[in-house]
Amino acid sequence: MYQLNERQRQAVETISGAVLVLAGAGSGKTRVLTERVAYLINEKEVAPWQILAITFTNKAAQEMKERIAGVVAADMRDMWISTFHAMCVRMLRRYAEALGYTKNFLIYDTDDTLRLLKKILERMGLKENKSYSDRYIKNLISKYKNDNTTLDFEQYAEERNPFIAEYAGEIFDEYTQELQKQNAMDFDDLLLNTLLLLETNGDARTYYQNKFHYVLVDEYQDTNMVQYKLIKILSAGYGNIFVVGDDDQSIYAFRGANIRNILEFEKDFPGATVIRLEQNYRSDKKILDVANCVIKNNEGRKGKTLWSDIDRGEKPVLYTANSEYEEAETIAREIQRLSDEGMRYADMAILYRIHTLSRILEEKLRLYAIPYRIYGGISFYERREIKDMVAYLNIIANPAADLQLLRIINTPKRAIGAAKVEALVQAADYNGISILEVMQNANVLLTDKALIKKADEFCEMYERLSENYTDMSVHEVMERAYEVSGYKKMLEEEQTPEAEARIENIAELINSAYTYDGEDESSLEGFLQNIALITDLDSMDDQGGVTLMTMHAAKGLEFDAVFVAGMDENIFPSQRAIDEDNVEEERRLCYVAVTRAKQRLYMLHSNMRTLYGRMQPSVQSRFLDEIDSDLLNCIGRKKPVISQKPAAVKGKTDLFSGGFSIQKKASPQKVTGNYDIGTVVEHKTFGRGKVKSIAGEGDSRVAVVDFYEVGEKKMFLAFASLKILK
């Protein structure tokens, strides 16, 4: 057995009855789970097939299997270590006929479900009704099933959206009947039907209650009501239920997680033993003090205080910037400084509450040639909705941009399908003109009347998009394109969290246009050129880069240095959380973000933030106010003072050494040196290479450099720090 602390050993060896282990961040819960199973098998001679261990992801289940197999001599193939859904499928295959299914029932994924709902909505004549989005209905049905409410679907839907009450019940009935007819279950049915089986079929219930002497559940704070009921039934046979979780890390209510399951464990299982794992093996004590300061303000928690023997790092930094641009640049400069000191890029992360904050961060990282990767997502300018809007702008500026036109010709849907598009492409090729010109001359060049009609409609829309665009600001052109194209209406009608995120992303793109419009000689073509330079610079999205991710995605991960950006009120906590009185979950999210840091923690807030083209005052997050000021190195609260002290590292001044200072690399410098095509240069990250081309003028010059080891890179000469060799 591994060396365990006193609390961990207690959790491993308390094997009778109900046990709740409140495992704080970095407290070794995976080790406890593994050692407990090993203890049951090796010391108490429990057969592997008498143990059920449930986790939330296939990856976690596989890791648990491998760890357990490494510490026990018994054959583990018969032990149930799986996700909730895999466990339910296994049970349903055995007893499917008791529920009216055959053992080879189908499992419908999200795409299957959406296709079926589209078919039903079309059959009911609701396809064009904006209240009945297939994705919205799908999400509502999923939430309804996971809540396991006693309401029927019609009542449930009416409480949440009265605009769909008229047909909600009929849609749900049709959906359910279609699944049964096709001998299929969706993902939520796997859980719900297993619960139905165990509640109504005595043979199945008795079999599994007798089979599983010990039930273990990981990440218990993330369980929903159906999962809770499944666990309670399965553990009722022997009463040995062991759950591990952290109420302070319950951040998935939007997925159906119900925090009451962990908060009321002792009520649900009278006589339960509660064990708190509070020693953290990951983070510096100073970081945990900040986390404890924030989370203690939540009322809905069991209560624990993280502590650590690690106490050798610097105080966490609270940096107050003047704008989001200074915030992003400060992060980029400090990452560069940490890298110069020897910290790997892969050991650093930037966390944010909402995806839209990544745009400026990405731009600054690219300008500093800092490699990065977007975890669990894609780069801002690579997102579908952003590429779609940029495509609209491109065809306004350049009517001959066929590829861009093909991207949006049927987005939103305009009944211009693949066959019609192929006809347009062939006509353009045959006549040697652009696709738009074909559409503008459809009466002459085309014979398909339906296609001619659709081409005329598209051209009418295009004329409205492009009319007098050279006399307008870029943000005005973009706002008009968003509205006139129908893209805005399409997203608003979808009524899903995904659509809301896409709307926020487009709002941020429009925001970038407002900022650009403040520059000299701004034009749509110039704006598109800037985007092309940003997106065409190599993404550097490799395993060795800084990680950018939302706070939700960061759960379970750890980094040497963590930057938490955008800690402004109404961003974090979000305005929605404030309006819906759900600040406690946001505070738990802050706790998760802070406890990802092992050595260095930076929290950043901006006094001003650009919203819809206007710099607006921004108040720092209430979570920052909850931290004792003596725990933080507060920088930037007062008027910046340029430090006169000598550079600390490689000619640079440490921004976070106690006072605000300016680094020389904070803004573009005059480009020196005779950079010509063929010049051999050296870069500290990419090594040696040769200049292939140079575009632009002055400090805006961009070079394409063919590095001998990593290939071609586009670089702003003002930032690239290239050394001329010959």
Side-chain angles (χ1 to χ4, degrees), residues 671-697:
V671 180
T672 58
N674 185 22
Y675 291 97
D676 292 317
I677 295 174
T679 299
V680 177
V681 295
E682 185 174 47
H683 186 272
K684 67 176 183 179
T685 300
F686 304 127
R688 296 186 177 187
K690 185 177 292 187
V691 177
K692 290 188 65 177
S693 65
I694 298 177
E697 296 179 357

Side-chain angles (χ1 to χ4, degrees), residues 70-84:
V71 293
V72 300
D75 188 345
M76 301 300 298
R77 286 177 293 181
D78 290 331
M79 180 179 168
W80 286 39
I81 306 177
S82 69
T83 63
F84 272 99

Side-chain angles (χ1 to χ4, degrees), residues 87-101:
M87 175 195 77
C88 289
V89 169
R90 197 166 175 179
M91 293 178 177
L92 289 170
R93 294 293 184 201
R94 182 184 181 98
Y95 287 98
E97 292 174 0
L99 296 175
Y101 293 85

Side-chain angles (χ1 to χ4, degrees), residues 549-564:
M549 64 171 69
T550 63
M551 297 170 190
H552 281 97
K555 186 172 177 289
L557 303 175
E558 59 185 55
F559 301 90
D560 288 347
V562 169
F563 298 81
V564 186

